[in-house]
Amino acid sequence: MLISNSRIRLCQAAPQLPRYRFKCNSISVHRRPYSEAPINGAQEPVDLLAKTNVANQWHEGWLFADSVFPIQIAKHYIGLLREESLLEIIRHRLEHIKTHGFKIISLEPHEKDGGVFIRFIYNASDTENALKSIERELVEVAAKHGGLPSWLGLNKGNTWMVKGTPWREDMDRYASPIVNVAFDGPDIQEQSLYELFRPFGRIRRLTVPTPVPAGTSRSSTIIFSQLHSATIARNVLHGFCYTPVQGTGKTLLRTAYQRPIQTHAIRDWMSSHPKITLPLLVFDPIRSLMVQGKMLDWFDYREFWLYKWLRTTTFDLLSPTSNHTSAPVELASGIVWRERKEAASTINKTMVIDCRALQNTNSDSQIVVSLVAQMGYWPVFTFLNSVNNLIDLASVGLIGQKAGLNSSLEDQLRQILTIVGKALRGVSFSNRTATRRQTLKRERERLEKEDQERIRAKIKGGIWHDGRLDCVAGNGIMSELGIGDEPMLISDGSSTPYVENAEKKLVLEEATRKQSTWEEMEAVRSLPIVVIRNYAVKVGSNREELLVVLAQWAATLAENQVAHVIVISDNRENAKYLAKTLPSKPLNLIALSDADSRSSISFVKQKLRDADIDADFTPKQIAHVERLGGRASDLESLVHQVRNGQAVEDAVENIISRGVAELRKNAFGDDVDDAKSLPWTREQAWIILKLLSEREEVPYHDVLIDFPFKGDETSLRNMEHAELISIGTHEGRPSTIRPGKPVLRWVFQRLVNDPIFRATQEIFFNEKIITGAEKTIKACEEELTTISAIASRTRLPWWQFGYGEPRGTSVRSKYLAEKMSSSAKKIGVLEKQNLELKKVLAKGDS
């Protein structure tokens, strides 16, 4: 029997355990159809082996017994036939262990992984030595019986100390020899990870963590030689808090199975080996067909009627707890994303193109691969681009110019999008055909219902003649048994009058007009929807031609009524590419606001509950969360910091402080040279921050016409592009200016309330105004000198002195004098303010 002797570490003491009362012959066996609340209720990871009652020195731990049930799904129900007897044997063998008061609390089967979780308590002051003693006695008991019982009747099972947190789930995650280990904390070295997982079985391969997108945990993949070794490792080390021998950082391990064959493996292999799978066909129709198939779910097995029938009649019946398990999750998710789900349920099939994924690529070929993957465009042969590049290089060396075989990125994108546009026409035609078929079916059912009602009315009035009765009753006199052989008259059925031909004609014309109107409406309603997300130029990227090509393609789709196009961007500045492609038509702009306070709080609470963290906020904590507004990125950052052990108040404060540092660098630059490279001046950034720190929004044109902008809209648009501000519109024109994100308002206030920074920026701002006022005074003095010279040459006669209209030079001189006086007063006030501000700088931060 192999018992893991890895070092057991104490992460945190647990609260006092209750006294357990049990009899020797009555051990509870729990079948948990779903994972209950974790025993560990602390906010930080807690090692269950170290869950301690300080007062009575009682500790709680878990064991995992492997090989009790079959792991394969085909044999799963065979093992259930012997479940009660197997659990009884395990209980009987382990209850003889008395070391440190070892007592079994419950046995919880985990059939999916072929094992049983054994919950026990023991009494000891030194937990590490006590667990080693219990392990030694477990070895002796197992050796005495040759191991624990299994479903085959052989004693080949082992017991393992659970170092992490038992996760008794019943999701569709089945055992696999590949275990994915995610690190919630610093990465674990390859050798340490090998030594941690090797006791459970031979490891064939172990991968090191690779770079992942921001907000995603890094992970390693471990491939075991045997399936049962992977099941032991996954259940023993999930939730284990690892501390390196040299170092202070702790890492929480989260283990999960990974499928040996990934989704679409065959399709990906075929697309990666075009020389083998290259068909002798024209590729454009195939590509168009593949795009239509993705849009209409032709290749999604979940949409097949056979799968739906099997799911309804077989799978759902065999898993009666699935609805019970997913109900709380679905309810919570519905509260958070209620508006989005309601809107998504009313739209047609949608093609989504994420520009951020395209701009994160490193080469032109990767852009093409990422774009065609999002559209379902297949097959594509990227290796031909490399071959063409080599031919062009060779031709340059031979003849001094390129051969022209290689096409530019813009040409490749246009060719792909043209074929996709044809596919979207096919999708629209399929939608109209399906809608027309359903409408004709409903119309046919309506006419049949009207015919039946008319026949019932005739029968009730006694004027219905069914010709089939003549064959039974005979002809002539015998036909009287039917209804008679005389013709039917209108007077014979006074209760159900016939419709005149003129009325029938009017009804038919009205129905034709309605049909024509309905077909026009359905033609628009059946158009597919194309969504272009994250439509923006990445900072430091030269992928502007990508946005231009997408804008032209979107305009073509809208002009030709091929599809509805929705472009999602962070700010209005990116709409200029679309406006150039549609110069004669205005764009329909819809400003999307952040989530409201209630939805934001629900989102944060749900994320924290998913991480087993108490999400009952106090009013003070709710007020701090509301400072972040409804921006998902800031809320995700808050959740991540709270999961790492920070309090809500500290996490919000950390986000605001980090925003202050980022804003000081991005809006004002590190130094004077850095500020010169900004597309706005420091004075412009300062006046915006100062105004928005006092009010939630300011009028756009009030800011635009005054110093330091003086009608310069380019600076404001550059600020919007940098997400410092957001510009609201009213009937298509700029109307208001708001902070770029809700949290920026608190960042603005924090930065403006910094006395040193405020004094520095105010002095620079006042100096700019003083310089402008001095230039104004100097210009007025020069103009007054000129006016005085003109007036001296054109003196009035003595008899017109004091009478008549004042001359133009007098009016102009008076205006210039008033302007000089105003500028002089402004200079005096500002210089006085600068003296006070310099006193603040002299005091420093003391």
Side-chain angles (χ1 to χ4, degrees), residues 216-338:
T216 305
S217 300
R218 292 164 62 88
S219 62
S220 292
T221 301
I222 302 175
I223 304 178
F224 287 91
S225 298
Q226 298 181 0
L227 180 62
H228 97 284
S229 299
T231 60
I232 298 172
R234 191 264 178 192
N235 289 282
V236 171
L237 293 180
H238 177 78
F240 174 61
C241 185
Y242 175 81
T243 304
V245 178
Q246 296 180 354
T248 58
K250 296 181 180 180
T251 301
L252 184 67
L253 303 183
R254 302 185 185 276
T255 58
Y257 296 120
Q258 183 173 322
R259 295 181 180 180
I261 300 179
Q262 298 299 315
T263 307
H264 307 308
I266 297 177
R267 188 190 68 184
D268 294 341
W269 181 88
M270 294 177 64
S271 61
S272 301
H273 298 77
K275 294 182 180 180
I276 301 175
T277 60
L278 186 62
L280 299 176
L281 297 172
V282 180
F283 294 113
D284 288 353
I286 298 177
R287 292 162 176 165
S288 179
L289 189 66
M290 297 298 292
V291 174
Q292 294 184 46
K294 183 176 182 179
M295 288 285 294
L296 299 175
D297 296 330
W298 289 350
F299 311 115
D300 189 359
Y301 66 91
R302 291 169 296 185
E303 298 295 331
F304 296 165
W305 69 268
L306 180 60
Y307 174 82
K308 294 180 179 179
W309 178 80
L310 289 175
R311 184 64 183 267
T312 304
T313 59
T314 306
F315 300 150
D316 292 344
L317 297 178
L318 295 179
S319 56
T321 59
S322 59
N323 294 334
H324 178 70
T325 305
S326 60
V329 178
E330 292 180 355
L331 180 59
S333 177
I335 295 175
V336 179
W337 303 108
R338 179 180 62 254

Side-chain angles (χ1 to χ4, degrees), residues 328-464:
V329 178
E330 292 180 355
L331 180 59
S333 177
I335 295 175
V336 179
W337 303 108
R338 179 180 62 254
E339 298 178 357
R340 297 188 179 184
K341 287 187 174 182
E342 291 177 355
S345 62
T346 60
I347 62 177
N348 295 331
K349 299 295 182 180
T350 306
M351 173 183 291
V352 181
I353 301 175
D354 191 354
C355 294
R356 182 174 299 170
L358 301 179
Q359 294 189 355
N360 289 337
T361 55
N362 299 324
S363 62
D364 293 348
S365 60
Q366 291 181 2
I367 290 180
V368 174
V369 171
S370 178
L371 179 63
V372 299
Q374 296 182 42
M375 294 180 170
Y377 183 94
W378 184 88
V380 60
F381 311 114
T382 55
F383 75 96
L384 294 178
N385 292 332
S386 301
V387 175
N388 293 334
N389 288 331
L390 293 176
I391 296 175
D392 284 343
L393 290 176
S395 65
V396 170
L398 294 175
I399 62 177
Q401 62 181 6
K402 293 184 178 181
L405 297 178
N406 190 25
S407 57
S408 63
L409 174 62
E410 185 175 351
D411 295 337
Q412 295 181 48
L413 295 178
R414 291 183 189 278
Q415 182 181 3
I416 293 172
L417 295 176
T418 300
I419 297 175
V420 174
K422 295 179 180 178
L424 292 176
R425 289 182 182 272
V427 172
S428 177
F429 177 77
S430 300
N431 291 339
R432 286 198 301 269
T433 303
T435 304
R436 187 180 297 108
R437 188 183 301 112
Q438 295 176 0
T439 304
L440 292 177
K441 181 180 178 180
R442 290 194 299 266
E443 184 67 17
R444 186 165 52 252
E445 292 176 353
R446 185 184 65 82
L447 293 177
E448 291 177 356
K449 184 178 180 180
E450 291 179 355
D451 290 340
Q452 293 177 0
E453 291 177 354
R454 186 169 60 254
I455 292 173
R456 292 192 190 97
K458 289 182 178 181
I459 293 175
K460 185 177 180 180
I463 60 172
W464 171 248

